[in-house]
Amino acid sequence: MRKYWAFFRINIFNTITYRGSLLIWLMGNLVSLLVMVAVWLSVGTSNSLVGGYTKSGLITYYVFSGFLWWIVGWHCFEWVREIIKDGTITTQNLTKPLSFYWQVFFEELGWHTVGTPIGLLASLFSLFIVSQFTPLSLEFHNLIFLIPSLIIGTLIIFTINITLGLLTFFFTETESLNHIIWAGIFIFGGQSVPLSFFPGIFQTIVQFLPTRYMLSFPLELLFGKLTSWEIAWGFGVGLIWVAVLCLAYKILWNRGTKAYSSFGS
Amino acid sequence: MKRYFSLVKTFFNYHLIRNLEFRSEVIGWSIISIMWPLLTLLSVHLIFGQVDSMAGWTKSEVLITVCLYEIFIGLIWIFIVPSIRNFTQSIKKGEFDFYLTKPINSRFIASVNFFEFDQYPRLLMLAGILFLFLRQQGDISLVNVLFGLFLLVVGLVVYYNIFFFIATFIFWIIAVINLEDLFNSLILTGRYPIYIFQKGLFSFFTFVIPAAFIATFPAQAMLGKINYNVLFIAGFVLLTTSIISQWFWNFALKRYSSASS
């Protein structure tokens, strides 16, 4: 465990060194929140509920969505792709008695240890700004379920990222694959609109997609939108996705490291 | 002037050949570049499944705005961002000296040294969708469409100036790796009609960060819902951003010391 702790610490220092990048992400987060708040303040509707939310509820939804993104938004794809492509993985990982999965995990955790408190501060500031529109009453049992749902969400995003990154073992150019994850979360993960906005059958389909468990499921729990049965079902499906993705990772890692060849290092 | 055109042509041809060498990469990015606008349009469709209007704009008017926003992004990613990204990387690697030692304006060469070709399918698709949306509106004149396109080009030049101004900070702040995310954040404010913002923010996003030129003004022009007074704002914003951006570039260049030589 100590060896992984070293990666965790190194990435904390890296994140602090590249704090400019962190601030840019913070700004992006706040701008998208500002846009969505402005959108929902400007819409005209004859219904009191929009997709099961009041207008104020939707504004709160985007504030919390922005904050939870700081917790679950793990971006290791780019780094994994880069080290496989330039051959660094040979000296950094393949020749060392380390689990690649956990090494990358702890490195990412280092980033989030610095980034999440900053995101929390920004979100509290945003909540204060929009406080007149935020009627959310947080209930204890919602918060209890929120933590395991965030762990599942994080594991799903992280494992998808690292697994797609491993495809670089087989294909030279995989950069565009990264966008599949973000596009999926944007529309089917509840980032652009709550999943309750989807009509009929599509709403049922998105319940089964892994993207729901990355961001939308924790938000649905937080807002108390789920019955006990739906919560249990959600955790079940989320855990199945974690298992499936870990298996995919394992297969790709075993096959990829056998097929991989690099030179110069 | 002939030399400048010849240079643009050379860079363009070089990157076209480079892109043809990495066909699978271009195809992958082209698919992604088509997917994003479709998802954005889908999200608008989902929002309008629940509401009747946005800042007084109907669904089809908002879709036209979002379409123009996505076209704007496509153009930015063909003509502006790749060169600026390449320029910032050249500073980090100490390769900027190669630009300075050439008998050509350094800002020019920093602005046109890289072209991407994966955005063309996106532009073609969006042009088709925009045409369909405009036809649904019925009475759209060619003059209005041309006026809208003119405002879109004004927006591109304004954002080129803003992005270049920001990128110039690279002379001092090397440790920024996600400049493109900053650009995306700045553009994001123009995705929906700018009238979603209340008074103070509306002025801010018209004059300070002129997000209205990304899609709102071009959409209004195409829909015939804007008067020609907007040209005065366009002239003011264009002139101001050009002067500030060029002044800052000259200021930074005087203080540049290479990392390699």
Side-chain angles (χ1 to χ4, degrees), chain A residues 72 74 76-77 100-102 151-167 180-181 185 208-215 235-254:
Chain A
V72 298
W74 289 42
C76 64
F77 171 87
F100 183 65
Y101 186 92
W102 291 111
I151 293 170
I152 289 175
T154 302
L155 284 172
I156 291 177
I157 290 190
F158 173 73
T159 314
I160 284 191
N161 259 278
I162 195 169
T163 307
L164 283 179
L166 291 186
L167 288 175
I180 293 173
I181 309 169
I185 298 167
F208 290 95
L209 297 178
T211 44
R212 183 202 173 201
Y213 301 92
M214 297 173 180
L215 186 67
F235 275 113
V237 177
L239 284 170
I240 288 171
W241 272 115
V242 173
V244 168
L245 290 165
C246 284
L247 186 69
Y249 165 82
K250 201 86 185 157
I251 293 168
L252 276 182
W253 174 257
N254 288 338

Side-chain angles (χ1 to χ4, degrees), chain B residues 13-223:
Chain B
N13 287 339
Y14 168 74
H15 288 289
L16 180 62
I17 293 165
R18 187 187 138 272
N19 271 251
L20 291 173
E21 283 288 321
F22 298 100
R23 282 185 291 276
S24 59
E25 187 188 352
V26 176
I27 292 168
W29 279 113
S30 300
I31 293 168
I32 298 296
S33 79
I34 287 173
M35 182 184 70
W36 271 113
L38 288 178
L39 291 180
T40 310
L41 290 169
L42 174 64
S43 75
V44 174
H45 178 73
L46 290 172
I47 290 173
F48 274 92
Q50 308 287 334
V51 304
D52 308 317
S53 65
M54 187 187 289
W57 289 46
T58 62
K59 180 180 175 180
S60 53
E61 287 169 345
V62 174
L63 284 171
I64 287 170
T65 311
V66 174
C67 224
L68 283 163
Y69 165 83
E70 294 293 342
I71 288 174
F72 185 89
I73 289 187
L75 292 169
I76 284 263
W77 277 93
I78 291 173
F79 296 110
I80 299 174
V81 176
S83 290
I84 291 183
R85 182 178 52 192
N86 200 38
F87 149 66
T88 57
Q89 280 165 1
S90 73
I91 296 272
K92 285 179 194 170
K93 292 176 185 168
E95 294 169 358
F96 187 62
D97 301 20
F98 295 122
Y99 293 5
L100 291 175
T101 50
K102 300 280 185 298
I104 200 108
N105 183 299
S106 56
R107 174 161 173 174
F108 173 79
I109 208 165
S111 307
V112 296
N113 59 67
F114 212 102
F115 293 94
E116 296 281 12
F117 293 86
D118 45 42
Q119 296 289 329
Y120 285 101
R122 173 200 193 114
L123 290 181
L124 279 174
M125 180 196 72
L126 286 166
I129 295 176
L130 181 66
F131 176 73
L132 289 176
F133 285 152
L134 286 172
R135 262 186 58 174
Q136 276 179 2
Q137 292 292 310
D139 205 17
I140 299 290
S141 77
L142 183 65
V143 177
N144 285 343
V145 173
L146 290 175
F147 185 37
L149 290 176
F150 170 74
L151 289 176
L152 191 77
V153 173
V154 169
L156 281 170
V157 179
V158 166
Y159 271 83
Y160 157 72
N161 284 328
I162 293 172
F163 288 179
F164 213 86
F165 175 82
I166 294 167
T168 306
F169 279 98
I170 205 80
F171 283 113
W172 291 278
I173 311 163
I174 304 285
V176 174
I177 54 166
N178 54 347
L179 210 56
E180 292 141 49
D181 291 324
L182 178 64
F183 294 160
N184 285 337
S185 304
L186 287 174
I187 301 173
L188 188 66
T189 50
R191 180 189 280 171
Y192 299 109
I194 207 73
Y195 302 98
I196 59 171
F197 296 108
Q198 306 294 315
K199 287 172 192 166
L201 279 174
F202 174 77
S203 303
F204 183 78
F205 287 123
T206 305
F207 294 105
V208 184
I209 297 174
F213 285 95
I214 294 174
T216 306
F217 286 167
Q220 279 184 295
M222 287 185 182
L223 293 164

Side-chain angles (χ1 to χ4, degrees), chain B residues 216-233:
Chain B
T216 306
F217 286 167
Q220 279 184 295
M222 287 185 182
L223 293 164
K225 290 185 172 180
I226 201 166
N227 66 42
Y228 288 95
N229 289 343
V230 76
L231 287 171
F232 290 108
I233 305 174

